[in-house]
Amino acid sequence: MCGIVGYIGKRKAVEVILKGLSHLEYRGYDSAGVALMAKDKINIYKAAGKLNNLKEIISKQNEADINTHAGIGHTRWATHGMPSEINAHPHTCNCKSLVIVHNGIIENYKDLKPVLEKKGSKFKSETDTEVAAHLIAYEFEEKKDLLKAVQSAVKKLKGAYAFSVMHKTMPDRIIAARKNAPLIIGVGEGENFIASDIPAVIEYTKKAIYLSDNQVAEIKADSVKIYDENDNLIQNKVECLPFEPVALSKMGYKHYMLKEIHEQPDVVRNILTDKLKNKDAEVVLDDVKLTREQLKKINRIQIIACGTSLHAGLVGKYVIEELAKIPTDVEASSEYIYRNTIADENTLVIGISQSGETADTITAIKQAKAKNSHIAIITNRKDSAMARLADSLLPINAGIEVSVAATKSYIAQLLSLYLLAIYLAENTNKTSSKELSEIKKELLSLPSKLEIILNDTKKVQEISKKYSNSKDFIFIARGINYPSALEGALKLKEISYINATGYPAGELKHGPIAMLDNTMPVLAILNKGTVYDKILSNCEEAKARQARLIGVTNLIDEKHKNLFDDLILIPEISDMVSPALNITVLQLLAYHISEYLGKDVDQPRNLAKSVTVE
Ligand code: G6P
């Protein structure tokens, strides 16, 4: 989290930096700042709140102060110190000669701070980053060179960082460094860029160098020099960036979230095009690099992920166990890390991450890799740090997702897990081809069924309006849709701040039922299938406690009439594939409730799309 942009070249740096930061706001948006290299001094501008506040401050400055050709900028997601102007980056040292922007956490900042204070450092903020600014400044006093100062300072730091640093006595360069946090250098003609992510630079260049952990780079307008952890000059590959700038437009939708929900039929179509030709064809998954022999030996699967990706993983467990009959555990990455997990070379570990940068998942994957497990990564970013750890890389190709609340990437993750489960079943002969054929048929029908839901959202909008003033919300489901209840509740919580919880419907009576009265909405997902009657009984129990019942169902049933206050009918689909349809309804519900409440749909408070700290 936190977004970094740096620029050095012929253009007006502040414009490149502000535009770049606007494309990185998904990484954090509680405050922002820039440092511009002027003649003999560095001008720093900072503001609490969204980037627009910073833009306003900059628009009031003298042209002479902001018309410079080198600078660094930052958009923040607070880790140490509340969101405020003082805690906003860039940070500086006592004499303000040096500026730094940082993404990550300096874990030993509390040890370093008193040592630096003894030397005379006066700290103004509560951040860990300011400690790094002072540390590098002392190294600079000794070494009289910014590159050497940063190289020496990073050896004293513990934790995660992506830095950009400038010093007023060396105006022709920016120093960048990285460890466990993403950083790329966009390579231009007579100009170079630094960024946490591609969208910040794609408008200007398609060429980039991905910095690796422990590397430090000296970036001038016409050169980029990279050094490894032993300070040896090395050559990193210049890679071609995978995005088109057009992907960043809202295409006429009011919010990115709505646009991304509406992209789901095409996302599914794209995934199926190459991998599943028709219901009788075998799934083509060249991305899986396990041999048939190795596949047969896989006796355990562990899925590791966070947030929405974790919910996709829970659906994956149902599908894999049902079709491939391999015992599958799903665990939040942050939990997987701190216990002695049992995994070996016959374990397939699947990491799921939209961004491919989530620190908890990266650490968990590294832990599994150390046990020689086969690592499969399902991600939307095949250029990410996580992708680089993969033995089998399964890109979901959902296209760039801007809205902080994940939508199309979730559906794409589901599709990847369905295809992987079928692939495993086909290679291990665990399920009959007739049964697999049925599921493939259902998957192929998904795009048109999603379109049916998306072409008529009137009912969802009505319901959203009706329930938008609720303080709490309960989502219930059973079986393969229990994760849909969890994800529906998460979506609503994230963007409307309504306290929403997902429960397995059978658990309602074991505690949560105490919460029910005539103010509590209970949304039940009822699919035609083995648990349909059971969940209907759970709905009756909720109704008996006067809950306001909303049903999402693919079945027209007389029994619904007196039971539900509101009903959303979706196209018929098998229970196994239904999570992909049900979630679309729940995403729309969360979207419209947030909209009615006037919340910031695409950038909800306190969140960031990519969480690069543990
Ligand atoms: C953050 C985001 C969530 C996301 C989670 C995992 O918390 O706010 O929306 O689901 O990270 O992200 P990943 O990129 O690993 O899927």
Side-chain angles (χ1 to χ4, degrees):
M1 36 237 316
C2 296
I4 291 179
V5 181
Y7 176 76
I8 188 157
K10 299 162 291 214
R11 296 174 206 257
K12 194 168 166 185
V14 70
E15 282 174 4
V16 176
I17 293 166
L18 289 177
K19 205 163 194 190
L21 290 177
S22 72
H23 292 314
L24 295 186
E25 269 199 295
Y26 74 86
R27 306 181 70 85
Y29 35 77
D30 62 42
S31 56
V34 293
L36 301 170
M37 182 67 81
K39 209 166 183 292
D40 303 328
K41 61 174 181 149
I42 297 175
N43 295 322
I44 301 174
Y45 307 99
K46 305 205 254 188
K50 294 277 174 69
L51 188 60
N52 276 341
N53 299 352
L54 176 68
K55 285 183 180 165
E56 211 178 307
I57 288 174
I58 288 177
S59 68
K60 291 179 186 146
Q61 304 304 313
N62 288 331
E63 186 59 17
D65 288 332
I66 57 164
N67 195 357
T68 73
H69 299 279
I72 55 178
H74 188 268
T75 176
R76 181 170 186 249
W77 184 85
T79 59
H80 294 68
M82 61 187 280
S84 66
E85 190 188 325
I86 224 124
N87 288 330
H89 301 214
H91 287 286
T92 183
C93 55
N94 285 356
C95 65
K96 298 195 168 53
S97 303
L98 178 141
V99 284
I100 183 170
V101 289
H102 167 219
N103 168 30
I105 292 180
I106 308 296
E107 284 167 3
N108 58 339
Y109 83 105
K110 280 196 174 147
D111 301 331
L112 295 169
K113 207 169 176 173
V115 180
L116 294 165
E117 273 168 338
K118 265 193 198 143
K119 285 184 159 187
S121 288
K122 300 260 179 293
F123 290 98
K124 296 191 175 66
S125 75
E126 302 153 276
T127 65
D128 51 333
T129 307
E130 200 183 358
V131 169
H134 285 260
L135 179 67
I136 301 170
Y138 284 117
E139 297 289 341
F140 186 87
E141 272 175 24
E142 220 177 89
K143 309 227 158 33
K144 311 280 182 239
D145 179 79
L146 192 55
L147 170 71
K148 290 197 178 113
V150 173
Q151 282 173 324
S152 176
V154 293
K155 294 188 177 74
K156 296 177 180 157
L157 299 176
K158 289 194 185 132
Y161 53 79
F163 289 138
S164 288
V165 190
M166 298 193 303
H167 198 282
K168 74 170 187 191
T169 62
M170 300 188 120
D172 64 339
R173 69 199 68 186
I174 304 173
I175 306 298
R178 112 159 230 178
K179 185 183 175 193
N180 293 334
L183 202 64
I184 59 167
I185 300 167
V187 180
E189 297 284 327
E191 59 180 354
N192 287 308
F193 307 79
I194 302 164
S196 301
D197 198 3
I198 297 169
V201 302
I202 193 72
E203 187 179 332
Y204 312 102
T205 180
K206 287 201 130 196
K207 289 193 287 178
I209 296 169
Y210 288 81
L211 268 198
S212 297
D213 280 344
N214 302 311
Q215 291 184 340
V216 178
E218 185 183 67
I219 299 142
K220 297 184 177 175
D222 51 9
S223 70
V224 176
K225 286 185 183 157
I226 296 171
Y227 298 85
D228 68 12
E229 58 192 313
N230 301 316
D231 304 340
N232 297 317
L233 184 65
I234 50 160
Q235 206 77 47
N236 277 26
K237 212 169 91 194
V238 178
E239 298 187 34
C240 191
L241 294 176
F243 292 133
E244 294 299 331
V246 68
L248 298 175
S249 123
K250 281 191 202 144
M251 311 289 270
Y253 288 97
K254 189 166 178 195
H255 295 100
Y256 281 110
M257 182 177 177
L258 193 59
K259 174 199 161 217
E260 287 157 6
I261 292 173
H262 279 266
E263 281 172 355
Q264 295 184 147
D266 282 339
V267 166
V268 175
R269 248 180 225 117
N270 282 346
I271 295 174
L272 294 176
T273 304
D274 302 328
K275 300 190 168 66
L276 182 61
K277 297 272 176 247
N278 58 61
K279 75 176 179 51
D280 299 314
E282 285 207 336
V283 161
V284 182
L285 269 192
D286 299 337
D287 303 327
V288 178
K289 301 298 179 200
L290 285 159
T291 62
R292 227 186 154 89
E293 278 318 297
Q294 285 173 311
L295 263 177
K296 287 209 167 106
K297 284 191 191 149
I298 295 292
N299 55 20
R300 173 196 289 261
I301 293 179
Q302 291 173 343
I303 300 180
I304 322 171
C306 302
T308 292
S309 301
L310 180 64
H311 296 154
L314 288 169
V315 175
K317 171 186 164 75
Y318 279 86
V319 187
I320 293 170
E321 290 194 339
E322 191 66 32
L323 303 182
K325 324 272 188 235
I326 305 173
T328 303
D329 297 317
V330 187
E331 200 162 355
S333 315
S334 52
E335 290 298 313
Y336 188 93
I337 303 169
Y338 294 106
R339 62 188 195 87
N340 195 9
T341 43
I342 301 165
D344 59 23
E345 66 279 8
N346 295 326
T347 310
L348 170 62
V349 174
I350 306 173
I352 310 177
S353 173
Q354 188 284 130
S355 63
E357 296 292 351
T358 303
D360 288 325
T361 308
I362 290 178
T363 310
I365 292 295
K366 283 182 180 163
Q367 198 166 301
K369 212 172 164 71
K371 294 185 174 170
N372 295 324
S373 301
H374 186 91
I375 307 293
I377 299 291
I378 296 178
T379 181
N380 203 20
R381 295 296 299 270
K382 49 187 177 198
D383 58 329
S384 61
M386 217 178 292
R388 285 159 206 257
L389 295 171
D391 298 311
S392 294
L393 176 60
L394 285 76
I396 59 171
N397 296 326
I400 192 157
E401 194 177 59
V402 178
S403 175
V404 166
T407 53
K408 63 174 177 172
S409 63
Y410 178 71
I411 243 178
Q413 288 166 347
L414 293 187
L415 258 285
S416 299
L417 288 159
Y418 282 119
L419 294 175
L420 180 61
I422 297 173
Y423 178 85
L424 292 172
E426 278 173 345
N427 279 278
T428 49
N429 299 324
K430 290 287 174 57
T431 300
S432 74
S433 51
K434 189 165 168 275
E435 216 177 307
L436 292 179
S437 213
E438 272 309 306
I439 294 160
K440 290 177 194 171
K441 193 171 132 200
E442 294 278 304
L443 288 175
L444 290 163
S445 76
L446 262 180
S448 58
K449 290 177 181 168
L450 283 166
E451 269 158 4
I452 293 174
I453 294 175
L454 293 169
N455 286 342
D456 183 8
T457 61
K458 219 170 117 218
K459 185 81 189 165
V460 186
Q461 291 194 46
E462 256 172 52
I463 293 175
S464 305
K465 194 169 185 181
K466 181 169 165 189
Y467 293 90
S468 59
N469 287 326
S470 308
K471 285 204 163 46
D472 305 279
F473 232 100
I474 287 178
F475 291 75
I476 55 170
R478 295 181 88 132
I480 196 165
N481 274 299
Y482 165 48
S484 310
L486 293 177
E487 177 58 11
L490 179 66
K491 281 288 89 79
L492 187 61
K493 247 186 305 217
E494 280 180 314
I495 61 171
S496 73
Y497 321 141
I498 292 173
N499 178 32
T501 316
Y503 293 108
E507 276 294 296
L508 203 61
K509 58 185 175 291
H510 296 296
I513 203 162
M515 301 284 297
L516 304 191
D517 61 17
N518 59 6
T519 65
M520 178 69 87
V522 174
L523 184 146
I525 303 168
L526 304 103
N527 276 100
K528 196 171 153 186
T530 43
V531 288
Y532 175 78
D533 285 326
K534 295 282 173 204
I535 194 163
L536 211 54
S537 306
N538 301 135
C539 291
E540 294 280 3
E541 290 156 15
K543 192 72 200 167
R545 273 86 187 170
Q546 298 179 5
R548 304 166 79 192
L549 262 190
I550 308 162
V552 176
T553 184
N554 55 16
L555 200 69
I556 300 172
D557 186 341
E558 273 301 300
K559 286 181 228 150
H560 293 162
K561 268 199 185 139
N562 298 323
L563 185 55
F564 291 99
D565 295 276
D566 290 285
L567 206 60
I568 300 171
L569 197 64
I570 63 163
E572 220 184 304
I573 188 110
S574 71
D575 206 27
M576 174 86 87
V577 181
S578 66
L581 286 191
N582 289 323
I583 199 57
T584 306
V585 175
L586 305 191
Q587 291 165 346
L588 286 167
L589 182 83
Y591 171 81
H592 288 296
I593 290 181
S594 174
E595 245 279 272
Y596 284 124
L597 294 176
K599 306 292 182 204
D600 192 339
V601 176
D602 284 333
Q603 293 184 337
R605 72 181 182 204
N606 302 344
L607 295 182
K609 190 155 187 70
S610 171
V611 183
T612 55
V613 292
E614 269 182 37

